Amino acid sequence: EAGVAQSPRYKIIEKRQSVAFWCNPISGHATLYWYQQILGQGPKLLIQFQNNGVVDDSQLPKDRFSAERLKGVDSTLKIQPAKLEDSAVYLCASSRNPTGDAIYFGEGSWLTVV
Amino acid sequence: GESVGLHLPTLSVQEGDNSIINCAYSNSASDYFIWYKQESGKGPQFIIDIRSNMDKRQGQRVTVLLNKTVKHLSLQIAATQPGDSAVYFCAETPAPRRNQGGKLIFGQGTELSVKP
């Protein structure tokens, strides 16, 4: 079974530029998550989707971050404009459903803002 | 606020020894816990999970213990190998998952170093 796929793996941009990350969850997984992991810390939830609907986006900085999962499968996370403090790993994860199933992570998209 | 914390930021063990990584959680309503292993440059890898109606669960070379009385979680790794070197995170769901949709809260992690 293929895991959670993410791209790009690495991205370097200047502050105030924009960037987009893509995620393809494990086949059949209805729940998709985006987490932000700053170096030396545990991942922090940004947004959670159930199919194509948002379940929780309370931690998403909506003035600059946006995410969508239009067809209930793939998802994109966008940052515009980027700030230096956005330098982090952006992890996509998925689970079969939100009640009682394990959550599996992709390898992450590493963002450096200079 | 609610948090999941780890007692030790680093742990060094000899190859072949058993490792015990500890975690404290603060929300007594949490009902699902996962241990993840994260190697340098990679995403968190699911190791083992446990629900609050259990106090012990075993996997291959790993055992998770849950003590709800003192809100403590531990991960035991038997016969630790160099490949086990990584950062280990525990994560909890702070509320019943059917209402919160499975949101995980992570601690800062424990770095396990295995000496050959």
Side-chain angles (χ1 to χ4, degrees), chain A residues 9 37 42 48 100-101 103 107, chain B residues 36 38 41 43 51 97 101 107:
Chain A
R9 284 298 316 277
Q37 186 176 24
Q48 177 186 342
D101 278 324
I103 298 173
E107 296 289 47
Chain B
Y36 288 94
Q38 189 171 26
R51 304 184 196 286
R97 296 188 76 202

Side-chain angles (χ1 to χ4, degrees), chain A:
Chain A
E1 182 181 71
V4 177
Q6 292 189 245
S7 68
R9 284 298 316 277
Y10 306 95
K11 191 75 176 178
I12 301 174
I13 62 173
E14 295 182 349
K15 59 184 178 182
R16 292 187 290 274
Q17 287 188 325
S18 63
V19 63
F21 301 114
W22 172 84
C23 172
N24 181 244
I26 293 172
S27 178
H29 282 197
T31 310
L32 184 147
Y33 313 80
W34 283 101
Y35 280 79
Q36 179 193 59
Q37 186 176 24
I38 293 172
L39 188 65
Q41 299 182 16
K44 183 186 79 173
L45 180 69
L46 292 175
I47 189 168
Q48 177 186 342
F49 292 94
Q50 178 66 18
N51 297 308
N52 61 350
V54 175
V55 173
D56 185 347
D57 64 355
S58 58
Q59 300 291 323
L60 188 73
K62 298 180 186 64
D63 59 333
R64 300 183 299 107
F65 286 64
S66 64
E68 60 183 15
R69 193 184 185 199
L70 293 176
K71 296 183 179 179
V73 180
D74 294 4
S75 177
T76 56
L77 174 71
K78 297 179 182 177
I79 307 174
Q80 182 180 18
K83 292 185 176 181
L84 296 177
E85 58 262 37
D86 297 332
S87 294
V89 182
Y90 291 88
L91 295 161
C92 182
S94 71
S95 62
R96 191 168 299 278
N97 59 66
T99 55
D101 278 324
I103 298 173
Y104 298 94
F105 284 82
E107 296 289 47
S109 292
W110 298 67
L111 175 65
T112 301
V113 182
V114 298

Side-chain angles (χ1 to χ4, degrees), chain B residues 76-95:
Chain B
Q76 300 178 359
I77 305 174
T80 313
Q81 303 168 1
D84 295 326
S85 294
V87 177
Y88 290 80
F89 292 97
C90 66
E92 66 168 323
T93 50

